[in-house]
Amino acid sequence: LDIPSATPDVLAQLRTMNMKNLRTTPSPDDIVTLSTVYSTHQGGFFQGFTAATPRHPVLKRSLGYMDAYYEGTLTQTLPQHIIEESHNAVVPSRTKPQGMGVGPYTLSVAYRSTTHEEWEEYVRNMMKDHGYSSGNEEEKPYGEVPAKRRYARFLYEISLEDEEVKRLGLWADVPLQDAEYQRKVKWCNYVCFGGQQVYFYSRVPGSK
């Protein structure tokens, strides 16, 4: 699927699945350098599943932000536009996490703060290192779509018990993990999907 915007409407994608052929898997011509999961209920990346090519600029920047988080200097480290885009301009810290997990938050802001030019340079160098050409760069340096949309693919996380999912009749054949439990645990029923395909549950019953 295309990458999420700052506030992606995942349910809107669910509503249009049967009306358009959404690409859920890379084509042979794609160069996918980053893949992770966007969490609909957390509003950020669910980094429990993350795949990237070596020395990826987003992961490098994420590690730098994580270090700043624990050092208490994240506000001074983040680009100003990221701070301005944050909810009520609040930036989490080790002493005031603001309900945000350090991993999901730092990966999300690292993705948003890595420029299209940095992605292009990274892919160009990666192709060169492996003896490949990335095409005619002078003709269309960024292709038809921005670099982030061409070099990344995402799954999305949502609950099987979401009312919109039920209304659309999606994934009725995927069992609820807590179906046989007397005590229901809603987190057990979150799944990661791409297009109409559920790939895996995002949590396992009994894990902590």
Side-chain angles (χ1 to χ4, degrees):
L1 289 171
D2 286 340
I3 63 166
S5 61
T7 55
D9 185 352
V10 176
L11 293 181
Q13 294 188 40
L14 295 179
R15 297 185 194 103
T16 60
M17 277 180 189
N18 293 325
M19 296 189 299
K20 60 188 294 189
N21 183 24
L22 294 177
R23 184 168 62 180
T24 60
T25 57
S27 77
D29 296 326
D30 286 337
I31 302 174
V32 179
T33 66
L34 178 69
S35 181
T36 187
V37 179
Y38 186 85
S39 174
T40 60
H41 63 93
Q42 292 180 338
F45 289 146
F46 171 71
Q47 91 293 359
F49 170 80
T50 301
T53 46
R55 301 183 296 277
H56 201 285
V58 171
L59 295 191
K60 180 179 179 180
R61 182 163 279 136
S62 177
L63 290 172
Y65 289 162
M66 191 175 294
D67 181 67
Y69 176 96
Y70 286 111
E71 292 293 331
T73 59
L74 190 54
T75 301
Q76 293 76 35
T77 305
L78 289 174
Q80 185 60 34
H81 74 90
I82 295 294
I83 296 176
E84 293 173 354
E85 293 170 4
S86 300
H87 180 64
N88 294 327
V90 173
V91 174
S93 66
R94 188 175 186 178
T95 56
K96 296 181 179 180
Q98 308 292 342
M100 304 180 195
V102 57
Y105 179 80
T106 54
L107 183 61
S108 297
V109 294
Y111 170 80
R112 288 160 51 199
S113 62
T114 301
T115 66
H116 296 297
E117 290 79 9
E118 289 176 289
W119 282 74
E120 291 289 355
E121 181 180 8
Y122 170 75
V123 171
R124 187 163 53 245
N125 291 335
M126 181 180 67
M127 297 286 284
K128 182 179 179 181
D129 290 344
H130 289 81
Y132 293 97
S133 170
S134 57
N136 189 338
E137 297 168 6
E138 294 183 0
E139 183 178 343
K140 289 185 178 181
Y142 300 125
E144 297 295 335
V145 292
K148 290 182 181 181
R149 295 184 66 175
R150 287 186 285 124
Y151 301 139
R153 291 292 182 274
F154 294 87
L155 299 179
Y156 292 86
E157 184 190 34
I158 198 168
S159 173
L160 292 172
E161 299 180 290
D162 185 276
E163 291 302 322
E164 186 75 1
V165 170
K166 292 180 180 179
R167 188 184 69 79
L168 293 171
L170 294 169
W171 311 312
D173 59 332
V174 179
L176 300 178
Q177 288 198 106
D178 64 358
E180 298 180 0
Y181 292 1
Q182 183 175 0
R183 178 173 176 266
K184 303 300 181 183
V185 182
K186 67 174 183 177
W187 301 114
C188 292
N189 300 318
Y190 276 80
V191 294
C192 297
F193 74 94
Q196 296 183 344
Q197 173 86 27
V198 167
Y199 289 96
F200 47 82
Y201 299 98
S202 58
R203 293 164 180 81
V204 178
S207 64
K208 294 183 179 180

